[in-house]
Amino acid sequence: MKALFLVFVLLSVSTASFAEQSQSSETKMKHLVFIDVWQYFSDQQTPLTDWLSAQNSEEYQVQYVQPNINVTRDILAQAQQAFPVLGDLYLDENYQLMRQYGVWQMPYHVILQNDQTVFKGNDTGLARYLVAEQLINQEQLTAVHHLLQDLTHENKLQPSQTQFVKQAPVARVDENDIAPNFKGHTLSAEPINLNSRLTNLQADEHLSLVFVDSLCPMPQFAGCEASLAHLAKRKDNNTLIVVNGYYVDEHHVKQFIAANKLSQPVLWDQHNHIFNQYGVLATVTEIRINKNGRVIRRTQL
C-alpha cells in the first residue's frame, strides 16, 4: 500500500503544469518522449529506452509524456510501478504538447535546447540523429542497429513491414433485424434484461440503446460532447446508456456520467459484449427497438 501511495504521489507531481516543470529545471537539454503506456504493457516500448535512461542527468533531462488518450490515472500509476523508467511521467491534458510540437504518432521524440527544438522524429529518426551527432556509443548502436539499416537509402521507399491479421467479421444489427437479448446490471445495481424492458413498453413506445465512450472528448470522437449534451436533456424513461468498457474502470465511468449530467440508466459494458452483439464500432450510436424486439432505427446521435 505504501508503494502504491508513493506512485500516486509521484504521478500527481508529474502531472503538474509542464511550464512550471520547465521553469524549475536548470537542465540545458530536455528530451520529450511521447509514449503510449499500453505499448509498455505489451513489451513494445521504444528500443532506445536504455540510451534514454543513461542520459538522464542535470545536463540532459528525459521527460516521458503520455497523451490523455485511452488511459486513467490508475493505469498510469500501474505503469509507473511496473516500469521504473517511467517515474518522470507527464500526463498531457487536452493534448497541449502534442499540438505544440505536431506529434501524431508514438513513440515520438522532441529534443529541446534552451527551449528551442533541435530535433523532432520517431525512433528511426532519433537513431540517425544520434549517429550523426556522435551521441551514441557502439554498444547502444548495436542495440538499435535495425533502426539504421536503411540509413544509406534515405530516399528509397521501403515496403511496409506491417503484418495484417484477418479479423472475424463483426455482426451488425440493422433496421428490421431482431435485437439480441442481453442481461446485466446498471451502475446503480439495477438488474437489466432487454426482453423484460421491451415487454413493459406500450404498443407505441420504443427503447433507445445509446452507445457512448467515456473517453469523450477525444479528437477521434468528433462532436461527441454535443451529442452527450443533447442526451442529457432527455427526460424519458425508455433510454438505456451503454458505455464502452475498453481502457476504463467503473470509477472513471461514474465520473464521466456525473460530469455530463446523464440521468438515464447506465450499463458499463465491461467486456464490450453488447457493443459486439450490435456491431457498434463508432460512438455516439443510437439503436431504437420496438416492443416486438425489432430494430426500427440505427443512427449516429
Side-chain angles (χ1 to χ4, degrees):
M1 183 63 74
K2 256 184 199 179
L4 189 57
F5 173 77
L6 288 174
V7 170
F8 273 105
V9 169
L10 181 59
L11 184 60
S12 66
V13 172
S14 298
T15 53
S17 163
F18 185 81
E20 291 174 359
Q21 291 185 38
S22 297
Q23 291 170 3
S24 64
S25 174
E26 297 179 355
T27 302
K28 293 182 180 179
M29 301 288 287
K30 193 175 190 71
H31 187 144
L32 308 181
V33 187
F34 291 81
I35 63 166
D36 176 359
V37 295
W38 294 103
Q39 293 178 331
Y40 281 73
F41 284 118
S42 59
D43 197 29
Q44 297 176 357
Q45 59 266 42
T46 169
L48 290 158
T49 296
D50 289 342
W51 182 88
L52 291 166
S53 298
Q55 305 317 300
N56 240 333
S57 66
E58 292 183 0
E59 296 296 317
Y60 196 106
Q61 181 186 359
V62 177
Q63 172 81 69
Y64 287 88
V65 180
Q66 169 64 49
N68 194 13
I69 301 175
N70 297 341
V71 295
T72 64
R73 291 184 181 274
D74 288 347
I75 294 299
L76 294 186
Q78 292 175 33
Q80 285 184 300
Q81 192 172 37
F83 307 101
V85 70
L86 300 180
D88 192 8
L89 180 60
Y90 175 79
L91 181 61
D92 188 15
E93 299 277 6
N94 301 318
Y95 325 111
Q96 292 180 349
L97 292 182
M98 287 185 69
R99 293 191 176 105
Q100 179 178 348
Y101 295 109
V103 178
W104 303 111
Q105 60 176 291
M106 290 168 283
Y108 197 82
H109 305 267
V110 177
I111 300 178
L112 308 172
Q113 184 170 17
N114 298 326
D115 295 327
Q116 298 298 313
T117 303
V118 297
F119 171 80
K120 287 173 56 177
N122 59 15
D123 278 344
T124 299
L126 177 61
R128 294 172 179 170
Y129 172 80
L130 297 177
V131 169
E133 298 295 321
Q134 298 181 343
L135 297 173
I136 191 167
N137 64 38
Q138 187 59 47
E139 182 180 351
Q140 294 164 334
L141 180 61
T142 300
V144 297
H145 179 70
H146 64 285
L147 297 176
L148 304 166
Q149 288 180 348
D150 62 344
L151 184 58
T152 58
H153 304 283
E154 294 283 348
N155 299 318
K156 182 179 179 180
L157 294 177
Q158 299 295 319
S160 171
Q161 299 300 311
T162 303
Q163 297 297 316
F164 293 97
V165 179
K166 186 176 181 180
Q167 302 293 321
V170 176
R172 177 186 164 98
V173 176
D174 276 311
E175 294 178 12
N176 296 318
D177 290 340
I178 295 297
N181 187 37
F182 58 83
K183 300 178 182 179
H185 288 82
T186 67
L187 290 180
S188 57
E190 173 193 358
I192 288 288
N193 181 308
L194 177 64
N195 287 344
S196 296
R197 288 293 298 266
L198 296 178
T199 300
N200 294 329
L201 294 176
Q202 299 298 316
D204 60 344
E205 291 181 326
H206 67 265
L207 177 69
S208 287
L209 302 182
V210 182
F211 295 82
V212 305
D213 197 307
S214 62
L215 295 175
C216 174
M218 287 175 59
Q220 61 263 49
F221 301 144
C224 64
E225 291 175 284
S227 297
L228 293 174
H230 176 74
L231 183 60
K233 295 178 181 178
R234 287 193 186 180
K235 302 303 177 184
D236 66 88
N237 296 318
N238 292 328
T239 296
L240 174 64
I241 298 173
V242 184
V243 180
N244 191 320
Y246 288 143
Y247 304 118
V248 297
D249 54 23
E250 185 173 347
H251 176 68
H252 174 85
V253 174
K254 288 181 177 179
Q255 287 184 319
F256 165 80
I257 296 301
N260 288 281
K261 301 178 180 179
L262 302 177
S263 59
Q264 299 88 348
V266 177
L267 195 155
W268 176 38
D269 192 13
Q270 184 175 2
H271 302 292
N272 275 42
H273 178 65
I274 304 172
F275 269 73
N276 291 334
Q277 275 186 299
Y278 285 80
V280 175
L281 300 176
T283 57
V284 176
T285 293
E286 180 178 21
I287 295 178
R288 297 182 181 180
I289 307 169
N290 67 15
K291 181 177 176 63
N292 298 321
R294 194 170 294 278
V295 174
I296 58 175
R297 186 178 182 187
R298 176 176 180 140
T299 187
Q300 296 299 114
L301 186 63

